[in-house]
């Protein structure tokens, strides 16, 4: 096997033909994506082989396979957990497989548009899953169709695979790899360009309180998915004169900063003004209860920079501004501390390496059951770290804080050799088409690459929008909206078309290499 590929400049005429083909099929591709976005395919595991991740995921898989057949491909369903689209005959040792997922993260809060009623606005397709990962999945059907219609001969067989449980735990891929062959080379269209050759390890687990709370707290919840920074959290407390007086005093103090001098004579549905210690807090009176709500700003937990963690804001408010029994107050103070930052410094697992940067640790879900509190964390640890040692460190941190740590899942890091000939070739294709000088990289996000042999991620994100597109985006979406895992998730159709052109040229260039 040769060490590297011969470098050949891109055929610009061929790329122009491919680009025109996608322009001509733009509306058809958008319509197919919208068919999938209309299906609320949030993975919910079931004891049912007919719909192992819930009926919506089964429906979405069947719809995707139907789209594949409509485009003239042969499809297969693998236990209602995954499927594939390509030719009837398969040569696994000469196959390049593309992998996408059809399940989506929970909706979350603060949507302007309807999450499962997709709309097209000024070049953006808006709806949950449009960007992550249904749009790229449909795009790859069109990429394969484009190469076929233009009569471009290929040495390697191409096949698209789709799964239904990527966001929740990748049980779909564990099932597939246990029962079916895998391609010689696999590429996952679920990251940024160019090649992502490594992924951090993922630990999911929870800090649990050792004993029930006093009874003042009646309800409490925050966050909706392990891999999303929570944008909302709330607690419902039993009303008392002492509690009302303390909250009234707090709101009166916060209200002094308001220029209109509004009267905070009682506890009302009123947010704390910006610039105050708790800007995202709202307090409401509900009969004999008091509801405290914290607002945040969501991001993917692997890329938490710029987010505001609503669970942390709620814990801090309960610890500092609410008169509670000592155990309750101390517990919330400890949970506020553990959820305060995103790099494992407070949880005792901070680390970094040259390949993968820093470990991240985000508190993402707050739950309350039978008086006891649990704080779930999503951890992305660097490639050179040991997951078992990190779990042991988390157990020590929990003990030091009067808590119990439970590791629920540990997915080891993945690594595809950076020196492999395909890595540089695919990076070169991306840079030549876009005029970039990007390099292959390691990321904190988790894709199917960690469950497959000889696999890496290649796009389709990370491309720059034009100034006009940025202007349109700002007019369509409030801050914190429009991205993957955010409210009003949106797909830039022009960039998807360009990404599929990159993929098509990459497949042509891979003809120069044995895989």
């Amino acid at each position: 096997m040769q060490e590297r590929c011969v470098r050949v400049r891109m055929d610009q005429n061929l790329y122009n033909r491919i680009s025109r083909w996608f322009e001509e099929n733009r509306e058809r591709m958008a319509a197919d994506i919208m068919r999938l976005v209309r299906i609320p395919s949030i993975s919910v595991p079931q004891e049912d082989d007919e719909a192992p991740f819930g009926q919506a995921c089964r429906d979405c898989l069947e719809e995707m396979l139907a789209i594949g057949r409509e485009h003239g491909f042969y499809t297969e369903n693998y236990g209602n957990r995954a499927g594939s689209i390509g030719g009837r005959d398969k040569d696994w040792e000469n196959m390049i497989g593309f992998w996408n997922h059809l399940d989506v993260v929970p909706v979350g809060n603060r949507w302007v548009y309807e999450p499962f009623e997709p709309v097209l606005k000024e070049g953006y397709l808006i709806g949950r899953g449009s960007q992550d990962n249904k749009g790229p999945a449909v795009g790859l059907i069109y990429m394969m169709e484009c190469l076929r219609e233009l009569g471009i001969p290929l040495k390697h067989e191409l096949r698209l695979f789709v799964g239904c449980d990527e966001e929740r735990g990748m049980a779909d891929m564990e099932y597939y790899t246990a029962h079916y062959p895998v391609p010689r080379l696999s590429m996952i269209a679920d990251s940024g360009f160019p090649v992502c050759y490594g992924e951090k390890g993922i630990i999911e687990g929870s800090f649990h309180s050792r004993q029930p709370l006093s009874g003042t707290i009646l309800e409490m919840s925050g966050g909706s998915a392990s891999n999303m920074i929570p944008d909302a959290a709330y607690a419902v407390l039993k009303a008392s004169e002492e509690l009302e007086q303390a909250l009234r005093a707090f709101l009166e103090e916060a209200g002094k900063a308001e220029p209109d001098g509004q009267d905070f004579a009682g506890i009302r549905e009123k947010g704390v003004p910006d610039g105050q210690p708790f800007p995202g807090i709202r307090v409401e009176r509900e009969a004999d209860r008091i509801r405290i709500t914290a607002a945040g700003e969501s991001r993917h937990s692997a890329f938490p920079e710029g987010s505001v963690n609503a669970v942390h804001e709620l814990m801090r408010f309960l610890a500092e501004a609410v008169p509670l029994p000592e155990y309750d107050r101390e517990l919330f103070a400890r949970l506020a501390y553990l959820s305060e930052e995103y790099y494992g410094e407070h949880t005792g697992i901070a680390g970094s390496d040259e390949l993968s940067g820093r470990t991240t640790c985000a508190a993402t879900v707050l739950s309350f059951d039978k008086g006891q509190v649990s704080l779930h964390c999503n951890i992305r640890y660097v490639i050179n770290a040991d997951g078992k040692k990190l779990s042991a460190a988390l157990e020590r941190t929990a003990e030091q804080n009067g808590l119990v740590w439970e590791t629920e899942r540990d997915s080891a890091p993945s690594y595809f050799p950076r020196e492999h000939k395909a890595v540089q070739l695919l990076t070169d294709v991306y840079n030549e088409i876009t005029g970039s000088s990007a390099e292959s990289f390691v990321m904190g996000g988790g894709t199917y690459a960690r469950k497959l042999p000889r696999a890496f991620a290649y796009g389709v994100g990370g491309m720059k929008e034009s100034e006009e597109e940025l202007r349109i985006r700002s007019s369509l979406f409030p801050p914190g909206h429009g991205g993957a895992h955010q409210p009003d998730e949106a797909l830039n159709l022009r960039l998807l078309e360009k990404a599929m052109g990159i993929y098509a040229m990459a497949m042509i260039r891979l003809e120069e290499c044995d895989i």
Side-chain angles (χ1 to χ4, degrees), residues 358-380:
R358 301 174 71 183
T359 289
T360 60
C361 176
T364 54
V365 179
L366 175 72
S367 56
F368 184 63
D369 183 42
K370 297 179 180 178
Q372 293 191 276
V373 181
S374 295
L375 181 66
H376 179 90
C377 294
N378 187 285
I379 297 159
R380 311 295 171 115

Side-chain angles (χ1 to χ4, degrees), residues 110-157:
R110 300 184 296 117
W111 282 69
V112 176
Y113 303 88
E114 290 297 322
F116 299 115
E117 295 180 11
V119 295
L120 285 171
K121 283 205 169 192
E122 301 189 64
Y124 290 88
L125 197 163
I126 305 167
R128 176 60 88 210
S130 59
Q131 181 186 155
D132 184 19
N133 190 227
K134 294 175 179 180
V138 170
L140 284 167
I141 293 179
Y142 278 78
M143 186 275 296
M144 294 193 300
E145 182 182 14
C146 173
L147 293 174
R148 185 185 67 197
E149 285 198 3
L150 295 182
I152 299 171
L154 296 174
K155 180 170 68 174
H156 307 302
E157 179 182 338

Side-chain angles (χ1 to χ4, degrees), residues 201-494:
I202 301 176
I203 289 177
E204 293 179 285
S206 298
F207 291 103
H208 303 286
S209 61
R210 289 183 177 273
Q211 66 186 60
L213 298 180
S214 64
T216 301
I217 304 290
L218 304 176
E219 299 176 24
M220 189 161 54
S221 180
S224 57
S226 173
N227 55 4
M228 295 172 63
I229 302 298
D231 61 2
Y234 76 90
V236 177
L237 288 71
K238 186 185 301 182
S240 69
E241 184 176 348
E242 179 189 12
L243 178 59
E244 287 196 29
Q245 289 178 349
L247 289 173
R248 185 180 299 114
F250 168 76
L251 292 175
E252 288 174 349
E253 180 65 25
K256 290 179 181 177
E258 287 201 326
D260 58 7
Q262 287 189 25
D263 177 23
F264 282 84
I267 299 171
R268 300 184 294 126
E269 186 175 347
K270 178 67 184 177
V272 178
D274 289 341
Q276 295 305 305
F278 302 96
I281 295 295
R282 180 182 296 273
V283 179
E284 303 168 77
R285 178 65 185 266
E286 300 175 343
D288 60 347
R289 298 179 167 202
I290 294 173
R291 178 180 293 267
I292 300 172
T293 304
E297 185 170 321
S298 186
R299 292 281 191 280
H300 193 299
S301 63
F303 314 103
E305 293 80 7
S307 65
V308 177
N309 191 318
V311 166
H312 167 72
E313 297 301 317
L314 178 64
M315 294 297 95
R316 192 164 67 94
F317 184 81
L318 291 174
E320 298 180 19
V322 179
L324 290 169
E326 182 61 22
Y327 175 78
D328 297 9
R329 189 199 62 76
E330 180 64 24
L331 173 64
F332 295 139
R334 292 179 183 276
L335 295 179
Y337 176 77
L338 294 173
S339 61
E340 185 175 18
E341 49 83 36
Y342 291 131
Y343 299 104
E345 295 171 357
H346 291 185
T347 52
I349 58 169
S352 64
D353 64 26
E354 187 174 347
L355 278 177
S356 46
R358 301 174 71 183
T359 289
T360 60
C361 176
T364 54
V365 179
L366 175 72
S367 56
F368 184 63
D369 183 42
K370 297 179 180 178
Q372 293 191 276
V373 181
S374 295
L375 181 66
H376 179 90
C377 294
N378 187 285
I379 297 159
R380 311 295 171 115
Y381 62 91
V382 295
I383 286 177
N384 68 5
D386 183 319
K388 291 183 179 179
K389 291 182 179 179
L390 294 180
S391 289
L394 289 161
E395 290 173 5
R396 290 193 294 272
T397 297
E399 185 174 358
Q400 292 165 3
N401 286 274
L403 304 166
V404 175
W405 169 263
E406 177 187 7
T407 296
E408 297 153 17
R409 182 171 77 99
D410 182 1
S411 179
S414 69
Y415 182 78
F416 184 87
R418 188 179 186 183
E419 62 274 11
H420 191 284
K421 51 190 173 293
V423 173
Q424 187 60 53
L425 184 147
L426 296 177
T427 299
D428 287 347
V429 170
Y430 171 77
N431 284 335
E432 190 167 353
I433 291 175
T434 62
S436 305
S437 57
E439 296 183 355
S440 56
F441 62 97
V442 173
M443 72 169 179
T447 75
Y448 284 146
R450 65 181 54 247
K451 296 294 183 180
L452 296 162
R454 303 181 299 278
F456 56 84
Y458 187 53
V460 298
M463 292 185 291
K464 293 182 178 179
E465 294 184 312
S466 68
E467 290 186 8
E468 176 62 15
E469 286 170 333
L470 291 173
R471 184 195 66 76
I472 293 171
R473 176 180 284 277
S474 66
S475 70
L476 291 176
F477 309 113
H481 291 234
H485 291 212
Q486 290 185 331
D488 304 314
E489 179 180 342
L491 174 70
N492 183 319
L493 289 170
R494 182 190 68 84

